[in-house]
Amino acid sequence: MRLELRQNIPPEAVGAIIEEQFREGRNFVHLANLPFADMAELDTTAYIRTAMTALGDLTLSNGQPGSELWLLDSMTSPNASHIPFHTDSPFLTRPEKIVSFWNLRSSVEGGHNLILPVNNLLEWLHEQGGEQRDLLAELATEPVTHTFGSESTSETLLDEVAGTARYDMKYIDPQNNKNLAGRLATQLEGSRVPASRIKLAPGDVLVFNNLTTLHARSPYRDSSRQSIRVRVAELT
Ligand SMILES: O=C(O)CCC(=O)C(=O)O
Ligand SMILES: [Fe+2]
């Protein structure tokens, strides 16, 4: 869902719009044409902070103090190559419900955000039948361990009843998961999954439910891409 807003919209109103979208059960929302990318740096961060605080408490990145607003650029986002489908913080007992990317500068080429609602994935695996349907049954019943530092969880990768996912290959020990995670990756990266492909312009924000969607990012080609990631623990 893409909504074009008026350029002078205050951050409180943006927070209220995002909150309303999630209350209506939307998995993700793309808001376009916001003023934050044209502001002085301090005003940009204040704008984003105010908008997101309307949704709940902002969480830290990797527990680092002061990291509620986390700059993703060519240095901090792992690299410019494809980032496979995943959910954020799967090693936490309660991963953040809301993740957002506030785009300051787009890459010249690539850098699309791919958003895959879990319900679409469930339906798609089910429709394929055969091998994919067997995989789905295992994904919904076999616990897989995600570990990061001292944090660790053992849960199923998909929950069919709740329509949620918890999955990032980065945090799964391949020795321990009977290759279930790898089989899911093969399906997700096979390019036929029903994902939305979104290219953010400067001043756009993408906000998604990190429990009910998986996200990925296509490769990009230049080093000027910049966006700010903000996560929220819970809707208040
Ligand atoms: O670099 C990006 O665009 C997004 C990376 C990502 O998935 C994340 O930071 O959670
Ligand atoms: Fe992510």
Side-chain angles (χ1 to χ4, degrees):
M1 166 96 168
R2 183 178 183 278
L3 292 174
E4 183 94 22
L5 301 179
R6 58 186 160 85
Q7 252 260 312
N8 61 350
I9 188 162
E12 293 82 0
V14 173
I17 290 169
I18 297 169
E19 191 183 20
E20 189 190 343
Q21 293 295 318
F22 283 109
R23 282 203 194 284
E24 284 174 4
R26 203 86 62 195
N27 290 312
F28 69 96
V29 57
H30 171 189
L31 302 180
N33 198 34
L34 301 177
F36 67 88
D38 300 328
M39 295 171 162
E41 193 178 329
L42 282 179
D43 295 333
T44 297
T45 54
Y47 190 97
I48 295 173
R49 205 176 262 283
T50 302
M52 290 306 284
T53 301
L55 300 171
D57 292 335
L58 313 190
T59 62
L60 301 176
S61 285
N62 306 336
Q64 264 177 255
S67 63
E68 293 93 342
L69 271 60
W70 182 260
L71 181 65
L72 297 170
D73 60 15
S74 52
M75 300 286 292
T76 58
S77 187
N79 52 48
S81 58
H82 175 70
I83 297 178
F85 278 105
H86 65 281
T87 62
D88 282 4
S89 314
F91 44 80
L92 296 180
T93 310
R94 302 188 66 177
E96 291 94 343
K97 182 164 179 177
I98 304 292
V99 176
S100 61
F101 298 127
W102 297 75
N103 188 50
L104 300 173
R105 279 202 283 281
S106 310
S107 54
V108 175
E109 210 177 284
H112 293 79
N113 293 105
L114 308 177
I115 296 282
L116 175 59
V118 174
N119 280 335
N120 294 8
L121 174 64
L122 292 172
E123 204 173 293
W124 182 79
L125 287 171
H126 197 77
E127 277 169 8
Q128 306 297 303
E131 187 194 324
Q132 282 85 350
R133 204 179 288 192
D134 296 343
L135 173 62
L136 177 53
E138 283 183 62
L139 290 168
T141 51
E142 290 282 333
V144 172
T145 302
H146 287 90
T147 306
F148 180 66
S150 59
E151 305 282 357
S152 187
T153 54
S154 285
E155 305 261 1
T156 60
L157 299 182
L158 297 179
D159 182 330
E160 282 189 280
V161 178
T164 56
R166 170 193 288 275
Y167 167 71
D168 191 335
M169 277 299 256
K170 262 203 319 261
Y171 307 113
I172 299 172
D173 178 353
Q175 312 274 296
N176 280 337
N177 78 48
K178 303 179 196 158
N179 206 30
L180 191 51
R183 283 158 65 206
L184 176 58
T186 302
Q187 294 301 320
L188 289 171
E189 303 306 323
S191 83
R192 292 176 310 144
V193 286
S196 297
R197 193 178 161 82
I198 297 161
K199 173 97 181 200
L200 297 176
D204 286 10
V205 59
L206 175 65
V207 194
F208 54 91
N209 183 323
N210 180 49
L211 308 179
T212 64
T213 63
L214 293 129
H215 62 285
R217 202 214 58 226
S218 74
Y220 64 89
R221 205 174 52 80
D222 69 303
S223 58
S224 64
R225 181 177 181 270
Q226 261 191 5
S227 71
I228 294 177
R229 184 187 66 208
V230 185
R231 298 174 177 144
V232 172
E234 281 289 322
L235 284 178
T236 46

